[in-house]
């Protein structure tokens, strides 16, 4: 319907009358396509039709007719053109085969299981057609006018007129409930016949009938009932009261070992199966017979004693008696109509699917007789009377016989695979060689085999994809670990398989530790020590990530970082000084577990040249300095044991080189420490880093300042904490530390 509105909207006559509000009212959004092959509810469709009628200013019936014409045009444009043109050489044949086409589209293509309409055509003496249209959705008959006119125009090059001759509705009681069925009759006339006659066209409403040679009395083909039952093994014939007249022999499935013998005695045909004998009276050319098939009053069925009853796996033998109501044997699953003579005639062009109500293997004990009861009531054989099991389905067509009082059902078992065939206890030999069901089962079996192989391949592919995703996830984890151990650029080069050459860098290196760590160890369990270091180093790691420097290693309470690698930067000393100030501040939020005081770090920084490379393959390290003094000097500036009177808790001790480098790019406040004797280097000027004049503490650590508690710059809190620390002379501290280490039983793994 949206496609119809889009087509009409493209017309210059109609588009001038369309407004955005009216498009919204019709449920149409510009720029959005409707969902193809989607089933919309009738209520939504009716609302849309009402809106469209307002938009294009026509009646609802005209909208439905326009939609019917558009439906044919659209279907032929999307690939159904060849099938539509190949359906029939004339309009009557096309309309008579619409039911089968609906069944194919519904059950085979889309598997939607919708309740479609039914069509039946009758020829009139004046060459016109009477089209009977049956539907369970009243009010949609104008669609038929659009469909038929467009088919006549596009496929058969005909101009026709359709006139409604009658329209009735009736209530139909089904097993699923009561529904309304509408019957509309259309008179179809060919209004373009004179034009085609002048053009030499041969299109017509009716099929061309070839002349038939006259038949003499001796030209009748005499086909016995037994031969007919063998040729069409799954058929059955019923009269106008829907009572069984005869049926095909394969509706019985006989057990192995039973003998089949056929004998002919004059006008009598005897069918002997094991110990059961069926006697049929042969009637010659009865006027009410169709090629020898006789109505029920000509057929006599004689069965042996109860102990010698016929054995069947499909239908109980006692039900296959002439005169048995077909309702006792079958139920109609498609089309959804009551099983009576008039309804079947109305839907004569539909594909009929019949299901056996019960089978001998599932049937309960039935009461005696009753098969010849004319006053049969279907309610007496409701589903509660039978155990529902795997019941045979038949698929075929109904045909009205020449007597106009009998219907024949030509069908085949509705099975599509070997598994379904075996469920009914059948074999392929039960299918006649001319029955296409054989090929269907074999082809479908091949398809199912291919589907099973494809499903297995899909399962394997899904498993491989899952394993690949897991492998990728694990690889990402290992890559992340490697990038944590090495600078990201170096790790990525290693992952690409590149060789890393040792390289000389101009950097700044910082060592820091916790002076009170050795006093804390004997007073706390190892678990608490590890938790303390984890909290502290977590805060320091955060600053390392924020300032994009590289963490080299941690040993015990010692923490080593370097700036300026692997990417060279002129401000490496400035960056390291800011990181040192941030670390001193962050450590204040971690408390000693013994005296509950904030931790004080001891920091040393030196700038100079280092040689960095990747060392080892199991646990690769990125920093190596076998011949230069930069890491050693930085370490000594932090440790009083290596650099006499150098490191002080709560202070950041910087070398003269770091002082000069940091002052070149940044603005800091330093306090001179004086000249100190450095082992292996002689005397050197050193400095304490007090504050940054460029950034506040809050900018360095990237935390919010509490305006009620904290100073503006944050350095007052840092200085007050450092001034409160009482440090011991280096000689006493070293002696105390050695004594604690010797007496401590704690172990720290970092």
């Amino acid at each position: 319907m949206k496609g119809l509105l889009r087509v009409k909207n493209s017309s210059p006559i109609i588009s001038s009358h369309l407004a955005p509000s009216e498009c919204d009212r019709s449920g149409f959004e510009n720029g959005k396509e409707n969902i193809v092959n989607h089933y919309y509810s009738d209520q939504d469709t009716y609302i849309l039709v009402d809106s469209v009628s307002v938009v294009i200013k026509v009646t609802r019936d005209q909208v439905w007719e326009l939609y019917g014409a558009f439906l044919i045009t659209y279907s032929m444009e999307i690939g159904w053109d060849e099938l539509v043109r190949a359906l029939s050489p004339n309009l009557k044949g096309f309309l008579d085969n619409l039911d089968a086409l609906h069944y194919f589209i519904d059950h085979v293509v889309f598997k939607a299981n919708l309740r479609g309409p039914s069509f039946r055509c009758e020829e009139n003496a004046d060459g016109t057609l009477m089209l009977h249209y049956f539907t369970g959705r009243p009010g949609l008959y104008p669609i038929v006018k659009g469909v038929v006119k467009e088919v006549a125009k596009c496929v058969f090059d005909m101009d026709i007129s359709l006139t409604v001759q009658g329209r009735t509705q009736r209530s139909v009681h089904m097993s699923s409930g009561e529904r309304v069925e509408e019957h509309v009759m259309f008179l179809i006339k060919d209004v373009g016949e004179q034009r085609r006659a002048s053009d030499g066209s041969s299109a017509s409403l009716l099929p061309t009938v070839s002349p038939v040679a006259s038949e003499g009395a001796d030209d009748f083909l005499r086909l016995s009932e037994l031969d007919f039952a063998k040729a069409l093994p799954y058929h059955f014939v019923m009269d106008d009261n829907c009572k069984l007249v005869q049926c095909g022999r394969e509706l019985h499935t006989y057990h192995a070992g039973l003998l089949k013998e056929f004998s002919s005695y004059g006008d009598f045909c005897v069918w002997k199966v094991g110990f059961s004998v069926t006697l049929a009276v042969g009637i010659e050319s009865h006027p009410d017979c169709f090629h020898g098939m006789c109505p029920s009053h000509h057929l006599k069925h004689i069965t042996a004693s109860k102990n010698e009853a016929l054995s069947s796996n499909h239908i109980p033998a006692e039900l296959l008696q002439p005169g048995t109501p077909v309702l006792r044997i079958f139920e109609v699953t498609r089309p959804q109509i009551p099983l009576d003579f008039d309804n079947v005639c109305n839907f004569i062009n539909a594909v009929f699917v019949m299901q056996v109500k019960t089978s001998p293997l599932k049937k309960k004990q039935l009461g005696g007789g009753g098969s010849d009861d004319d006053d049969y009531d279907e309610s007496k054989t409701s589903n509660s009377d039978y155990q529902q099991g795997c019941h045979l389905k038949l698929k075929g067509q109904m045909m009205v016989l020449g007597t106009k009082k009998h219907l024949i059902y030509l069908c085949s078992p509705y099975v599509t695979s070997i598994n379904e065939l075996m469920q009914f206890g059948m074999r392929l030999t039960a299918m006649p060689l001319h029955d296409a069901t054989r090929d269907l089962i074999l082809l479908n079996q091949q398809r199912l085999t291919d589907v099973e192989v494809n499903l297995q391949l899909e399962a394997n592919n899904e498993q491989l994809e899952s394993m690949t995703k897991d492998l990728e996830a694990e690889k990402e984890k290992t890559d992340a670990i490697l990038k944590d151990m090495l600078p990201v650029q170096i790790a990525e080069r290693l992952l690409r398989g590149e060789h890393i050459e040792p390289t000389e860098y101009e950097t700044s290196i910082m060592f820091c530790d916790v002076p009170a760590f050795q006093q804390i160890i004997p007073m706390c369990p190892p678990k608490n020590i590890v938790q303390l270091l984890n909290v502290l180093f977590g805060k320091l790691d955060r600053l390392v990530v924020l300032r994009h420097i590289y963490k080299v290693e941690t040993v015990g309470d010692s923490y080593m970082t370097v700036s300026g690698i692997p990417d060279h930067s002129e401000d490496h000393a400035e960056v390291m000084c800011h990181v040192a100030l941030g670390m001193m501040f962050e450590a204040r939020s971690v408390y000693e577990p013994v005296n509950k005081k904030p931790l004080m770090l001891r920091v040393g920084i030196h700038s100079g040249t280092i040689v960095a490379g990747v060392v080892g393959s199991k646990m690769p390290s990125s920093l190596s300095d076998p011949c230069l003094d930069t890491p050693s000097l930085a370490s000594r500036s932090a440790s009083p044991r290596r650099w006499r009177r150098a490191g002080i808790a709560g202070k950041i001790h910087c070398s003269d080189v770091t002082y000069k480098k940091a002052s070149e790019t940044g603005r800091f406040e330093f306090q001179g420490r004086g000249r100190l004797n450095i082992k292996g280097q002689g005397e050197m000027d050193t400095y304490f880093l007090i504050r940054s004049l460029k950034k506040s503490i809050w900018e360095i650590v990237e935390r919010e300042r509490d305006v009620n508690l904290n100073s503006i710059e944050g350095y007052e809190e840092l200085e007050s904490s450092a001034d409160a620390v009482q440090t011991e002379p280096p000689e006493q501290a070293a002696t105390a530390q050695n004594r604690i280490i010797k007496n401590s039983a704690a172990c720290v793994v970092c």
Side-chain angles (χ1 to χ4, degrees):
M1 190 60 67
K2 291 183 178 180
L4 170 64
L5 183 60
R6 184 177 294 107
V7 171
K8 293 303 175 185
N9 191 16
S10 64
S11 172
I13 299 176
I14 297 177
S15 60
S16 61
H17 299 286
L18 288 174
S21 60
E22 292 174 332
C23 290
D24 295 338
R25 178 179 179 179
S26 65
F28 172 72
E29 298 181 21
N30 289 317
K32 290 188 177 181
E33 295 291 337
N34 58 303
I35 302 175
V36 181
N37 301 338
H38 177 73
Y39 178 75
Y40 295 93
S41 66
D42 288 349
Q43 187 64 28
D44 294 339
T45 305
Y46 293 148
I47 294 175
L48 188 58
V49 168
D50 291 339
S51 301
V52 171
S53 66
V54 174
V55 170
I56 63 178
K57 294 180 174 59
V58 296
T59 64
R60 282 198 306 171
D61 289 351
Q62 289 175 315
V63 173
W64 284 122
E65 186 171 345
L66 288 172
Y67 173 69
F70 173 77
L71 183 61
I72 294 298
T73 304
Y74 175 75
S75 300
M76 297 179 72
E77 287 178 352
I78 64 173
W80 294 86
D81 178 70
E82 292 185 359
L83 177 59
V84 171
R85 295 184 184 277
L87 200 60
S88 174
N90 55 78
L91 184 59
K92 181 181 184 300
F94 181 90
L95 296 174
D96 283 340
N97 283 274
L98 272 182
D99 287 12
L101 182 61
H102 280 158
Y103 179 85
F104 172 76
I105 295 174
D106 182 20
H107 283 66
V108 178
V109 179
F110 299 122
K111 295 179 170 53
N113 198 25
L114 303 178
R115 188 178 71 248
S118 181
F119 299 86
R120 177 169 59 88
C121 270
E122 294 178 353
E123 303 176 11
N124 297 326
D126 57 356
T128 59
L129 290 178
M130 183 64 71
L131 174 62
H132 296 267
Y133 167 69
F134 301 91
T135 180
R137 303 158 78 183
L140 300 183
Y141 66 91
I143 297 179
V144 178
K145 298 175 67 175
V147 168
V148 176
K149 286 182 179 180
E150 192 68 18
V151 168
K153 177 182 177 181
C154 296
V155 180
F156 302 105
D157 191 23
M158 297 172 57
D159 295 330
I160 63 172
S161 65
L162 276 81
T163 307
V164 176
Q165 297 294 301
R167 181 185 175 196
T168 59
Q169 293 183 357
R170 64 168 183 165
S171 179
V172 179
H173 296 275
M174 302 294 299
S175 58
S176 58
E178 184 178 354
R179 66 183 177 92
V180 177
E181 182 181 277
E182 185 175 65
H183 175 204
V184 183
M185 295 181 292
F186 296 94
L187 180 63
I188 304 177
K189 292 183 179 181
D190 184 1
V191 298
E193 186 174 0
Q194 295 180 354
R195 177 184 59 81
R196 288 195 306 274
S198 61
D199 295 341
S201 176
S202 59
S204 64
L205 293 174
L206 305 177
T208 302
V209 180
S210 301
V212 180
S214 60
E215 299 179 349
D218 295 334
D219 292 331
F220 283 103
L221 176 62
R222 302 195 180 274
L223 184 64
S224 69
E225 197 168 336
L226 178 59
D227 292 335
F228 197 85
K230 291 171 60 179
L232 300 174
Y234 293 98
H235 84 283
F236 67 81
V237 179
M238 64 179 180
D239 58 19
D240 53 358
N241 293 320
C242 290
K243 293 187 176 181
L244 185 66
V245 176
Q246 70 174 46
C247 63
R249 71 171 188 175
E250 284 296 337
L251 290 179
H252 297 272
T253 299
Y254 308 102
H255 292 302
L258 295 181
L259 301 178
K260 296 183 180 180
E261 299 180 2
F262 302 96
S263 303
S264 179
Y265 300 96
D267 292 337
F268 294 92
C269 175
V270 179
W271 179 7
K272 185 177 181 181
V273 186
F275 299 101
S276 177
V277 178
T278 301
L279 179 62
V281 180
I283 306 297
E284 295 186 4
S285 300
H286 192 279
D288 291 334
C289 296
F290 175 71
H291 291 297
M293 293 186 302
C294 305
S296 58
H297 61 274
H298 294 295
L299 183 64
K300 296 180 180 178
H301 193 88
I302 303 175
T303 306
S305 64
K306 183 177 181 180
N307 295 331
E308 298 173 349
L310 186 67
S311 179
S312 167
N313 283 335
H314 292 325
I315 303 174
E318 58 268 28
L319 294 182
L320 294 178
Q321 304 267 351
T324 301
V326 176
L327 283 173
R328 290 192 60 189
I329 308 173
F330 299 101
E331 60 182 348
V332 182
T333 61
R334 183 177 178 89
Q336 298 180 7
I337 60 173
L339 183 55
D340 60 63
F341 193 85
D342 292 336
N343 273 315
V344 173
C345 290
N346 289 337
F347 288 80
I348 198 66
N349 292 323
V351 176
F352 277 79
V353 178
M354 311 283 285
Q355 179 173 321
V356 178
K357 282 190 172 182
T358 187
S359 65
L361 299 181
K362 301 292 182 181
K363 188 175 76 69
K364 291 182 178 180
Q365 185 66 33
L366 292 175
S371 61
D372 296 328
D373 185 9
D374 294 340
D375 298 328
Y376 168 71
D377 184 3
E378 183 183 3
S379 62
K380 297 179 181 179
T381 57
S382 60
N383 290 338
S384 62
D385 294 334
Y386 303 106
Q387 295 177 355
Q388 296 299 323
C390 186
H391 298 160
L392 179 66
K393 282 187 177 182
L394 302 174
K395 175 186 171 184
Q397 70 174 118
M398 292 284 187
M399 293 181 62
V400 181
L401 300 184
T403 62
K404 304 299 182 182
K405 295 182 179 181
H406 293 83
L407 288 169
I408 181 171
Y409 181 47
L410 303 176
C411 59
S412 298
Y414 193 13
V415 292
T416 57
S417 65
I418 298 295
N419 288 337
E420 292 181 7
L421 195 69
M422 300 296 288
Q423 287 178 1
F424 298 119
M426 302 170 63
R427 301 295 185 270
L428 279 176
T429 54
M431 308 289 178
L433 294 177
H434 62 78
D435 195 338
T437 307
R438 273 175 168 256
D439 297 333
L440 175 63
I441 293 174
L442 295 176
L443 290 174
N444 194 43
Q445 188 65 25
Q446 178 63 36
R447 184 189 66 83
L448 292 176
T449 302
D450 295 340
V451 168
E452 185 176 352
V453 172
N454 291 334
L455 290 176
Q456 185 62 41
L457 290 176
E458 290 178 2
N460 293 339
N461 290 337
E462 290 178 358
Q463 186 177 4
L464 288 175
E465 290 177 0
S466 177
M467 295 174 64
T468 302
K469 290 180 180 178
D470 294 341
L471 184 61
E472 289 292 335
E474 295 300 324
K475 184 177 181 299
E476 290 177 359
K477 292 179 182 179
T478 57
D479 293 349
I481 293 174
L482 183 61
K483 291 176 182 178
D484 287 339
M485 298 176 63
L486 300 173
V488 176
Q489 298 89 331
I490 302 298
E492 290 177 348
R493 291 177 60 187
L494 283 177
L495 293 174
R496 292 194 297 267
E498 299 180 11
H499 178 67
I500 307 299
E501 292 288 344
T503 307
E504 187 174 290
Y505 296 95
E506 183 71 25
T507 64
S508 294
I509 296 179
M510 179 186 70
F511 279 89
C512 71
D513 62 2
V514 181
F517 187 67
Q518 299 301 330
Q519 288 87 356
I520 295 174
I521 289 178
M523 306 300 294
C524 296
K527 182 178 179 180
N528 292 350
I529 298 297
V530 174
Q531 291 176 348
L532 173 68
L533 293 177
N534 185 48
V535 173
L536 175 62
F537 288 167
K539 295 179 177 294
L540 304 187
D541 290 343
R542 174 179 168 273
L543 291 175
V544 168
V545 175
L546 285 176
R547 299 302 163 198
H548 305 289
I549 63 176
Y550 175 59
K551 173 184 174 182
V552 180
E553 62 179 355
T554 58
V555 178
D557 62 322
S558 299
Y559 193 96
M560 178 182 178
T561 59
V562 58
S563 63
I565 62 169
D567 295 329
H568 175 71
S569 61
E570 295 292 337
D571 61 345
H572 56 83
E574 177 189 357
V575 172
M576 188 59 75
C577 289
H578 283 143
V579 171
L581 289 170
M583 288 184 174
M584 293 290 288
F585 183 83
E586 289 287 357
R588 295 174 61 256
S589 61
V590 182
Y591 292 87
E592 298 178 11
V594 179
N595 53 21
K596 306 300 180 181
K597 293 182 179 180
L599 285 179
M600 290 295 171
L601 296 182
R602 179 169 49 194
V603 181
I605 306 176
H606 180 62
S607 300
T609 302
I610 66 169
V611 174
V614 178
V615 180
S617 58
K618 290 293 185 180
M619 294 289 291
S621 174
S622 65
L623 187 63
S624 177
D625 186 23
C627 57
L628 300 177
D629 297 324
T630 303
S632 299
L633 288 173
S635 176
R636 289 168 186 168
S637 67
S639 174
R641 297 173 57 195
R642 296 186 179 183
W643 190 352
R644 182 178 178 81
R645 297 174 55 202
I648 298 177
K651 294 291 185 179
I652 302 172
H653 195 199
C654 301
S655 68
D656 181 56
V657 180
T658 300
Y659 165 75
K660 293 178 180 179
K661 288 287 184 182
S663 299
E664 290 177 0
T665 60
R667 293 186 297 115
F668 295 93
E669 180 182 340
F670 287 95
Q671 179 184 349
R673 178 75 185 280
R675 296 181 64 83
L676 296 179
N677 185 21
I678 306 301
K679 180 180 178 181
Q681 300 293 327
E683 291 187 350
M684 179 182 295
D685 290 328
T686 60
Y687 301 86
F688 285 132
L689 175 61
I690 305 302
R691 68 175 63 199
S692 171
L693 302 177
K694 194 174 184 179
K695 292 184 178 182
S696 68
I697 286 293
W698 317 114
E699 292 175 315
I700 294 174
V701 300
E702 293 189 4
R703 295 189 184 277
E704 294 291 334
R705 179 179 71 92
D706 189 341
V707 295
N708 297 322
L709 298 177
N710 304 125
S711 62
I712 296 177
E713 298 294 330
Y715 293 107
E716 296 180 6
E717 291 86 343
L718 197 61
E719 292 174 0
S720 62
S721 300
D723 294 340
V725 177
Q726 299 295 328
T727 58
E728 295 179 304
E731 296 84 354
Q732 296 181 9
T735 304
Q737 290 170 1
N738 291 333
R739 182 177 65 255
I740 292 173
I741 292 174
K742 291 180 180 179
N743 297 332
S744 175
C747 177
V748 179
V749 179
C750 301

